[in-house]
Amino acid sequence: MGAMMRTRIAKCRRAAAVVELAICLPVVVLLTFGALEGANMLFLRQAVVQSAYEAGKIAAKSNGGEAKGRQLALDVLSSRDITATEIRFNPTNVDSLAPGTPFTVTVSVAGDQKSITNIGPFGGLSIESSTTMHKE
């Protein structure tokens, strides 16, 4: 095999490598960003679940209350850099409930708050969690 033939084979191999890279690179980048976005959404969901639970737990106490529960939920979310939230209590005046009465705390957050790319399946999605407690 001559030097000219080896050069030709090397050029073909390089061309094949470039084509493989052109096909595979976008797929690998898409999978990587998809995994990061999914992990961020799981992180966001866990923060919302935790904040709803903590708000319900403190609001259920006899020395707690709705205002303390709302503040604790905001503190849990803000410690994770989550700002725009909606916190609802049902019934609305938890402080006046009789002991043993159930109430629900619902926390909603925009799904794209922790997004890296602001595109994809989580845009416009709302992450919501509810917990039901009994007033002490």
Side-chain angles (χ1 to χ4, degrees):
M1 186 168 5
M4 202 161 179
M5 185 66 143
R6 281 189 296 248
T7 304
R8 189 172 192 190
I9 291 173
K11 284 182 181 180
C12 287
R13 284 184 184 161
R14 274 189 247 126
V18 168
V19 170
E20 289 172 3
L21 179 67
I23 292 172
C24 294
L25 186 62
V27 173
V28 169
V29 169
L30 183 65
L31 287 173
T32 301
F33 277 107
L36 290 172
E37 287 290 321
N40 280 335
M41 291 307 110
L42 288 173
F43 172 80
L44 182 61
R45 183 181 182 284
Q46 185 58 36
V48 170
V49 167
Q50 185 70 32
S51 68
Y53 172 76
E54 294 295 336
K57 188 172 79 170
I58 197 74
K61 293 185 178 187
S62 58
N63 62 348
E66 187 176 328
K68 285 183 181 179
R70 186 178 305 276
Q71 186 57 50
L72 186 58
L74 290 171
D75 290 345
V76 168
L77 293 171
S78 67
S79 70
R80 293 167 173 86
D81 294 327
I82 301 166
T83 54
T85 62
E86 181 183 353
I87 302 167
R88 297 182 308 272
F89 287 83
N90 186 20
T92 54
N93 193 0
V94 174
D95 301 336
S96 66
L97 294 177
T101 307
F103 66 94
T104 303
V105 180
T106 305
V107 178
S108 300
V109 174
D112 52 0
Q113 277 201 40
K114 300 303 281 183
S115 178
I116 297 171
T117 61
N118 288 330
I119 58 173
F122 303 114
L125 180 72
S126 178
I127 307 291
E128 185 172 290
S129 179
S130 296
T131 187
T132 301
M133 298 281 184
H134 291 269
K135 185 70 176 170
E136 291 181 0

